[in-house]
Amino acid sequence: MSTIYQHIINMRKLSILFIAFTLLMSNVIAQTKTTPSAGTKPAATAPAKTGTSAPAKPGSTSKTSTTKTAPAAAAAAPAGKVTGEDKVNGIDIFKNDKDQKDYNYNDRIKISKPLMPSYEYMQPFFEKGKKRKTQQEAYLANKYYYPSRPKNKWEVGVGVGMQYMFGDVDSRGLSEILNNSGFHVEVRKSISYFLSWRAMYQYGTSTNRKWLPDNTAALYTSVSGTPNYNGGLSFLGAPNNGLFFPSVQLYNHSLSADIIFTIGNTRFHKERTKFTLDLFLGVSAFLQRTKADYRDANGNPYNYSKAFDEINKVGAQLPNDGAYTALKSGINRVLDSLLDGTYESYPDQDRNLPMIMGYTITPAPTFGVGLNYRISKLINIGLISRFTMPGTDLLDGIRFAGGTKIVNSGTGAVTVDLASVTSQSNDILNYSAINFAFNLGGKRALEPLYWQNPIHHANFRMAQMDPEKLINEAFKDDDGDGVPNQLDKEANTKKGYPVDVQGRALDSDKDGLKDGEDKEPYSLPNYPIDEYGVAIVPPPACCAQMDSMGRMMGGDGSGGGGGMMGGSACNEITLPGLMYDKDQYGAERRDFIPILHIVGEKLQMCPDAKIVVSGINDKNSPNGKYNEQLSYNRANDAINYLTEKYGISRDRFIMKYNQDGSGDKNKDRKVDFRFAKEGETGDGNPPAPHPGLKAGRK
């Protein structure tokens, strides 16, 4: 047996051992996936897209720049246990999916697996490479529409398979598996989710033998006086009568570069698939050498007479189909015992092609198909069928199709039709193999992109666009200040505090105290305030007069105890009134605040005194009910302001309305204040005269 043949046998043994080892390792990895190590460290939390508790929706804006933590799901995975499928660079790439309420990892994996990782966070596979990281950061900050393409692994594969030649000589196929086989090594890298490139080296052998005798020997003429194969044509004489049985073996090496289009990774009804289909097209540097078995161990040409005897045995039965079957079996039995399988001769070769170490070299287009199955994130297994077209008719060493035809002469003898067939068609080589692929790369890398679902991210974003959810999210108001989160510039306003249109607590008088805690939200400007936000205003001249009178009568001038300030001295004080615009009654006007401050302060200084609040009416107005209700509203709103801002009890007021004025309508739109006379009484909170009538505006 030749050295090359022995080498091939050894390679087949190694291939069988390699397949067994690969299947064993696949099983070990599969078991490891379901049994996490007890020492696994808790996974780091990846930063989420700014301003979102779950992955952000298109068009959304964040309330603050602070990253929020999503509420933990009831079914969240135990902390610190990260399986092999989930771990990239020591980080659980599904950590945020396990924490979120909607589309939770644990709910999704019950339906299908493997799952797609989210692109809504700064995952480890976005951190490798400045350009990749910059784009992902821009996407997470809502500055770019598209997430970055994740860093993904290389695929390195090895495999063994069958090689079949389509030519002028029939392939031995399964009858000689080891002599019609090969092996390959490949490296593959994704270009996109659909395209990838591959470099593959393949070695193979093909064994072909023709069971019908060939009559084309006479067509093989010398080129420049040199025979095209060893020994010339001398062995084709008697007793073979110019006929021979081609028996050849092809040895080939090829180095191919392929572009692969992947089908099947796009899934519309599940996250990912375990099966993909590849279509590929490429070009190869093809090296081939063909040798023939035309001589026995002693170097003598074979005597094919026994094969011809076999033809004569069944000649009378031709052209019956069963006779052809018996004839083929009989001739093959003779050839099996006759030929020694050493392939010592060189058949016809194309001498126009360059050669190296006995191999002709030619560029050859190649195409094919592949079917892949995902075992784990590290291992895939697949089938490859590659067709190579070197552009020559001499892969099998036979240039012509051969025109031999066996016919029954009608006399029981068999004759051979020697009509030559000189038409040529180029030979084609097929290599069909099983491929064991391993995904290799850095720790911060996903599986190759052709194993990822390219529409997952778009579907994920559309799934977030639940109209009801979007509306609820748009109008969500966490602090209850009446301004939605999306517009709120102050996320945690205290309950009950007045706010502006952007949700910020008001400080109307700009005294440093928010209105919600300011006893006097509209303090007079340019005056100091006390701890409650009340302006410290010097008393007017009337109050100075009152203080002097109080001291004269034996009081301390404070109006709070002793002297006339405890009795009739307060009655001598003249209080200012409020002048209104037409059809208005609101007391919280900036020009009213100083006046009401004086009234409120005097009521505090005279704790035993009562005050009469009179709503003046235009006595000449024909709109009696309207003006009566309007005068009530004015007096009532002034009393409400004093009770709320200065803490004056309502029973210290005597409220009057519809009081006749001077007859000048411009001067009669007012509220007067005066201290009640001794013994004067009245209701401080009378009912409205016309409750259903809307009179005036604040």
Side-chain angles (χ1 to χ4, degrees):
M1 182 177 291
S2 68
T3 303
I4 295 177
Y5 184 77
Q6 185 63 48
H7 175 69
I8 294 172
I9 295 296
N10 293 336
M11 287 300 298
R12 301 309 174 271
K13 294 179 180 178
L14 290 175
S15 299
I16 293 171
L17 291 175
F18 177 76
I19 293 171
F21 174 76
T22 302
L23 293 176
L24 177 63
M25 290 303 298
S26 300
N27 184 61
V28 171
I29 292 174
Q31 293 296 323
T32 304
K33 286 168 48 183
T34 59
T35 312
S37 171
T40 304
K41 295 181 179 179
T45 301
K49 189 162 185 178
T50 304
T52 58
S53 58
K57 305 160 205 53
S60 65
T61 56
S62 59
K63 181 173 180 178
T64 69
S65 60
T66 304
T67 299
K68 297 183 178 180
T69 302
K81 293 187 177 181
V82 184
T83 66
E85 290 291 297
D86 300 347
K87 190 174 180 181
V88 173
N89 197 29
I91 295 176
D92 185 357
I93 59 175
F94 292 102
K95 174 63 171 63
N96 291 284
D97 295 342
K98 292 174 181 177
D99 290 341
Q100 67 188 30
K101 180 179 180 182
D102 295 332
Y103 307 105
N104 183 270
Y105 169 91
N106 297 283
D107 296 329
R108 288 154 48 204
I109 203 167
K110 293 175 184 177
I111 299 172
S112 71
K113 58 183 180 180
L115 298 183
M116 281 289 295
S118 175
Y119 291 177
E120 298 299 306
Y121 310 97
M122 181 54 76
Q123 301 276 35
F125 42 79
F126 291 126
E127 295 177 347
K128 188 68 173 177
K130 182 178 180 181
K131 185 176 180 180
R132 179 184 291 110
K133 185 176 182 181
T134 299
Q135 179 177 332
Q136 184 66 9
E137 288 174 343
Y139 169 73
L140 296 179
N142 294 321
K143 295 180 180 179
Y144 194 68
Y145 288 115
Y146 305 99
S148 178
R149 189 181 78 163
K151 176 179 172 59
N152 59 98
K153 297 181 181 293
W154 290 73
E155 176 185 297
V156 176
V158 295
V160 294
M162 291 285 295
Q163 185 165 276
Y164 190 95
M165 186 199 309
F166 299 90
D168 303 310
V169 183
D170 301 330
S171 175
R172 296 291 287 161
L174 295 177
S175 62
E176 292 191 27
I177 293 179
L178 294 181
N179 290 326
N180 290 275
S181 58
F183 68 91
H184 69 268
V185 179
E186 56 119 22
V187 177
R188 182 178 176 183
K189 188 70 172 71
S190 63
I191 300 172
S192 69
Y193 290 93
F194 301 106
L195 291 179
S196 56
W197 65 264
R198 174 175 61 198
M200 176 185 284
Y201 165 76
Q202 185 252 326
Y203 170 77
T205 60
S206 297
T207 303
N208 292 41
R209 189 174 73 193
K210 201 170 185 178
W211 71 272
L212 283 174
D214 192 293
N215 73 320
T216 60
L219 300 177
Y220 290 90
T221 57
S222 298
V223 178
S224 301
T226 303
N228 287 346
Y229 53 88
N230 278 357
L233 306 177
S234 59
F235 69 91
L236 296 178
N240 296 321
N241 297 320
L243 300 177
F244 69 106
F245 292 86
S247 178
V248 297
Q249 191 167 71
L250 168 72
Y251 313 95
N252 62 274
H253 302 264
S254 66
L255 184 61
S256 305
D258 304 324
I259 290 294
I260 305 173
F261 183 79
T262 298
I263 302 173
N265 60 337
T266 302
R267 309 300 292 176
F268 293 92
H269 302 291
K270 63 189 300 186
E271 289 198 33
R272 288 178 66 186
T273 182
K274 291 187 176 182
F275 289 94
T276 60
L277 180 67
D278 293 335
L279 304 176
F280 61 87
L281 181 68
V283 63
S284 68
F286 189 78
L287 287 77
Q288 63 96 6
R289 180 174 64 178
T290 304
K291 298 188 73 174
D293 185 8
Y294 291 152
R295 299 175 181 273
D296 61 21
N298 298 319
N300 300 315
Y302 290 117
N303 186 335
Y304 299 114
S305 58
K306 290 184 179 180
F308 298 137
D309 291 342
E310 196 69 30
I311 294 175
N312 290 322
K313 282 183 184 179
V314 296
Q317 303 175 30
L318 294 175
N320 182 278
D321 288 342
Y324 273 113
T325 302
L327 179 59
K328 181 178 180 179
S329 298
I331 292 177
N332 278 329
R333 281 195 302 270
V334 170
L335 295 179
D336 286 343
S337 62
L338 178 64
L339 306 182
D340 61 10
T342 57
Y343 303 98
E344 74 294 326
S345 304
Y346 284 90
D348 194 12
Q349 298 179 5
D350 191 338
R351 298 186 180 274
N352 295 320
L353 297 176
M355 298 185 68
I356 180 171
M357 298 178 66
Y359 286 85
T360 59
I361 306 173
T362 181
T366 180
F367 64 93
V369 63
L371 180 65
N372 308 293
Y373 175 72
R374 178 187 186 274
I375 296 177
S376 71
K377 74 172 186 176
L378 296 178
I379 301 177
N380 316 308
I381 190 171
L383 299 175
I384 299 174
S385 184
R386 175 188 293 276
F387 292 87
T388 304
M389 300 181 293
T392 178
D393 191 28
L394 293 175
L395 291 184
D396 54 13
I398 301 297
R399 188 184 297 270
F400 306 104
T404 305
K405 182 179 180 182
I406 301 175
V407 297
N408 188 343
S409 66
T411 63
V414 176
T415 60
V416 178
D417 181 0
L418 297 181
S420 298
V421 178
T422 58
S423 61
Q424 301 181 52
S425 59
N426 290 335
D427 300 335
I428 299 175
L429 196 65
N430 173 258
Y431 173 67
S432 297
I434 184 170
N435 184 55
F436 299 92
F438 305 89
N439 300 326
L440 306 178
K443 293 182 178 180
R444 299 182 180 183
L446 281 180
E447 295 173 64
L449 290 184
Y450 43 81
W451 282 111
Q452 312 294 328
N453 187 354
I455 65 171
H456 169 77
H457 181 64
N459 282 346
F460 176 81
R461 298 300 292 268
M462 287 190 291
Q464 301 295 316
M465 297 176 66
D466 178 2
E468 182 177 355
K469 184 177 179 180
L470 289 175
I471 291 172
N472 292 338
E473 186 69 23
F475 290 97
K476 189 175 182 180
D477 181 13
D478 289 334
D479 55 10
D481 61 1
V483 179
N485 291 348
Q486 304 288 352
L487 303 175
D488 201 335
K489 299 297 184 182
E490 189 175 84
N492 300 305
T493 305
K494 291 183 179 179
K495 187 175 181 180
Y497 277 40
V499 297
D500 61 15
V501 295
Q502 293 183 316
R504 295 173 295 202
L506 288 171
D507 178 12
S508 299
D509 52 12
K510 302 295 187 287
D511 61 1
L513 287 178
K514 303 296 184 184
D515 288 0
E517 56 194 39
D518 196 335
K519 294 292 185 182
E520 190 177 63
Y522 300 100
S523 300
L524 288 173
N526 303 321
Y527 287 102
I529 60 171
D530 61 17
E531 60 180 319
Y532 301 108
V534 178
I536 303 173
V537 182
C542 64
C543 294
Q545 178 187 7
M546 179 188 69
D547 292 344
S548 177
M549 292 174 63
R551 285 191 292 271
M552 290 173 58
M553 300 304 296
D556 60 5
S558 66
M564 290 186 67
M565 291 306 293
S568 60
C570 290
N571 297 337
E572 304 299 325
I573 301 174
T574 301
L575 298 175
L578 306 176
M579 296 296 297
Y580 290 84
D581 295 330
K582 183 179 179 180
D583 291 329
Q584 290 188 345
Y585 65 84
E588 291 195 32
R589 282 174 41 176
R590 187 166 291 275
D591 55 336
F592 285 177
I593 291 175
I595 298 172
L596 292 171
H597 178 74
I598 293 172
V599 175
E601 189 178 58
K602 298 308 168 282
L603 281 170
Q604 291 174 336
M605 296 173 65
C606 302
D608 297 326
K610 289 190 174 184
I611 191 171
V612 178
V613 182
S614 301
I616 309 302
N617 197 4
D618 180 5
K619 65 181 181 179
N620 297 322
S621 174
N623 195 0
K625 289 184 178 181
Y626 179 88
N627 282 345
E628 183 179 12
Q629 182 64 39
L630 182 59
S631 66
Y632 174 89
N633 290 346
R634 287 170 175 167
N636 186 61
D637 203 60
I639 293 173
N640 287 340
Y641 181 89
L642 291 169
T643 57
E644 179 182 345
K645 303 299 181 182
Y646 292 90
I648 310 300
S649 176
R650 188 89 185 193
D651 59 10
R652 293 183 61 193
F653 293 92
I654 299 173
M655 178 177 168
K656 297 183 179 183
Y657 57 91
N658 202 28
Q659 302 296 299
D660 290 339
S662 62
D664 185 345
K665 63 182 180 179
N666 293 323
K667 295 182 179 180
D668 290 342
R669 300 184 187 121
K670 66 178 180 176
V671 168
D672 283 339
F673 300 97
R674 65 175 177 82
F675 281 101
K677 298 177 182 178
E678 187 174 355
E680 186 176 2
T681 60
D683 192 350
N685 192 19
H690 308 288
L693 179 61
K694 183 177 180 180
R697 62 184 183 279
K698 279 194 173 186

